[in-house]
């Protein structure tokens, strides 16, 4: 199966998501956060830099849990045009 190229909007959303996760990580070491989320440090680096613009939901959920970010906040960052309302 060949994956369709990402749209400019998907790439921009990936960069916003990555920037928010990076900010939430703060001074914590990437390998520490990656280990806690059960992903590789390389995957975390790709997400934070926007090179992995559409990470799996389970990966995003694990990072949100480790970093203390509500999933609805990440959804609003990644999908701003949907007008999602805060739920919690």
């Amino acid at each position: 199966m060949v994956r369709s190229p990402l749209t400019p909007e998907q790439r921009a959303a990936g960069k916003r998501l990555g920037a928010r996760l990076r900010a939430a990580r703060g001074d914590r070491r990437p390998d520490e956060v990656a280990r806690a989320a059960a992903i590789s440090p390389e995957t975390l680096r790709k997400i934070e830099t926007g090179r992995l613009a559409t990470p799996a939901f389970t990966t995003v959920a694990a990072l949100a849990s480790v970093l203390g970010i509500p999933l609805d906040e990440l959804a609003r960052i990644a999908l701003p045009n949907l007008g999602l309302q805060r739920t919690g």
Side-chain angles (χ1 to χ4, degrees):
M1 181 171 121
V2 176
R3 187 173 178 180
S4 300
L6 296 177
T7 65
E9 292 81 15
Q10 288 171 314
R11 287 193 299 275
K15 288 184 184 214
R16 288 190 305 273
L17 176 66
R20 177 62 182 102
L21 293 171
R22 171 64 187 96
R25 182 168 60 79
D27 293 335
R28 291 176 68 182
R29 292 186 9 222
D31 61 318
E32 171 193 334
V33 171
R35 185 174 44 255
I39 63 173
S40 72
E42 178 65 12
T43 297
L44 178 59
R45 188 178 68 74
K46 286 179 180 179
I47 293 169
E48 286 185 350
T49 60
R51 286 185 42 226
L52 180 54
T54 58
F57 173 77
T58 54
T59 300
V60 174
L63 287 168
S65 178
V66 167
L67 297 171
I69 306 171
L71 278 173
D72 62 337
E73 178 183 335
L74 296 180
R76 283 192 312 278
I77 289 168
L79 307 167
N81 296 330
L82 293 183
L84 300 172
Q85 300 298 312
R86 185 172 184 85
T87 59

